[in-house]
């Protein structure tokens, strides 16, 4: 039970702390800088029932495989693989069609999803930047575990491509949030007022959706409940 616990020594930690990340399935044991790792692991072992309960509640792994149904904005799209030589992935209605080597299906489906996410997030960002009267230097995507978007002081905004798997309103509210950071690099009342103004309504329900359901988005594309990607 304790062999797969990640131990982190934190210079300002005052006590041992056990945390579980539902986005990755990893267990983290934070301990003070000079604390005994052996004693901390023994303490963690006493929480095996809690650890087992957290693991039992992990979202289901959803690999990108033929026949899988995945959310794309507000639609559900079925992956359809057919015999053939073409490596092109294309969407027709609610079907994502591809052929080519079956072993590369997952990688190519994720590549398509990333491109589609970037296309939509660039459009979202441009819309809210125009409303806010600000310039965004560039938009990019990644696959961070801990945040859905970030904005740097020089105007670069980076998003998680997995926002494509969320409802469109959630993705758009996130874009409005990051664009507002071009004016307020904080989360002050003025910042939240600006987000609501450029988004056009209260974004709180969409932020709450991410807090409640966001971890499950990280399990799309995985083939197992292990700590890494599928």
């Amino acid at each position: 039970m304790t062999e797969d616990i990640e131990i982190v020594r934190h210079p300002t930690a005052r006590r041992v702390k056990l945390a579980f990340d539902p986005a990755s399935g990893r267990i983290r044991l934070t301990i003070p800088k000079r604390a005994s790792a052996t004693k901390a692991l023994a303490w963690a072992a006493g929480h095996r029932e809690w650890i087992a309960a957290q693991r039992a509640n992990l979202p289901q792994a959803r690999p990108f495989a033929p026949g899988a149904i995945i959310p794309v904005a507000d639609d559900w799209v079925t992956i359809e693989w057919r015999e053939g030589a073409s490596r092109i992935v294309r969407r027709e209605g609610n079907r994502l069609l591809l052929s080519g080597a079956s072993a590369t299906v997952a990688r190519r489906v994720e590549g398509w999803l990333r491109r589609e996410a970037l296309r939509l997030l660039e459009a979202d960002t441009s819309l809210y930047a125009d409303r806010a009267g600000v310039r965004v230097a560039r938009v990019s995507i990644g696959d961070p575990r801990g945040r859905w978007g970030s904005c740097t002081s020089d105007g670069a905004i980076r998003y998680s491509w997995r926002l494509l798997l969320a409802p469109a309103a959630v993705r758009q509210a996130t874009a409005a949030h990051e664009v507002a950071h071009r004016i307020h690099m904080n989360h002050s009342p003025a910042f939240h007022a600006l987000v609501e103004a450029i988004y056009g309504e209260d974004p709180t329900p969409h932020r709450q959706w991410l807090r409640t359901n966001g971890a499950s988005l990280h399990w799309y594309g995985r083939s197992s409940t292990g700590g890494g990607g599928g």
Side-chain angles (χ1 to χ4, degrees), residues 121 124-129 131-132 134 136 146-152 156-159 163 168-208 210-211:
L121 284 163
D124 295 336
T125 303
S126 177
L127 171 65
Y128 298 123
R131 291 182 182 179
V134 298
V136 173
R147 60 199 313 179
W148 299 102
S150 61
C151 178
T152 64
I157 295 180
R158 186 171 179 82
Y159 299 101
L163 285 167
V170 172
R171 185 194 73 239
Q172 292 159 355
T174 304
H177 182 103
E178 296 307 328
V179 167
H181 278 311
R182 291 293 295 117
I183 296 177
H184 301 287
M185 291 296 286
N186 53 49
H187 290 100
S188 63
F191 165 81
H192 289 294
L194 178 59
V195 175
E196 184 167 347
I198 63 175
Y199 180 59
E201 62 181 86
D202 182 5
T204 302
H206 307 308
R207 303 292 293 179
Q208 182 59 49
L210 275 178
R211 285 191 288 271

Side-chain angles (χ1 to χ4, degrees), residues 20-26 54 57-59 211 214-216 218-219 222:
F20 187 81
D21 180 9
S24 65
R26 295 191 179 102
Q54 299 303 309
N57 289 326
L58 279 174
R211 285 191 288 271
S216 66
H218 288 282
W219 291 84
R222 291 192 185 183

Side-chain angles (χ1 to χ4, degrees), residues 67-90:
I69 301 174
I70 55 178
V72 176
D74 292 327
D75 296 323
W76 288 92
V77 177
T78 301
I79 300 172
E80 291 191 11
W81 177 84
R82 302 172 181 175
E83 293 283 354
S86 175
R87 295 178 57 83
I88 296 174
V89 181
R90 70 183 189 280

Side-chain angles (χ1 to χ4, degrees), residues 13 103 110 136 139 175 193 215 224 228 230:
E110 182 173 322
V136 173
V139 175
S224 70

Side-chain angles (χ1 to χ4, degrees), residues 99-155:
S99 56
S102 60
T104 66
V105 166
R107 176 173 55 79
R108 287 185 288 137
V109 166
E110 182 173 322
W112 183 90
L113 292 169
R114 285 174 175 263
R115 291 190 295 274
E116 183 68 2
L118 180 58
R119 181 183 72 83
L120 291 175
L121 284 163
E122 284 179 333
D124 295 336
T125 303
S126 177
L127 171 65
Y128 298 123
D130 286 345
R131 291 182 182 179
V134 298
R135 183 186 66 85
V136 173
R138 63 186 177 278
V139 175
S140 61
I141 57 168
D143 193 13
R145 295 289 189 204
R147 60 199 313 179
W148 299 102
S150 61
C151 178
T152 64
S153 59
D154 64 355

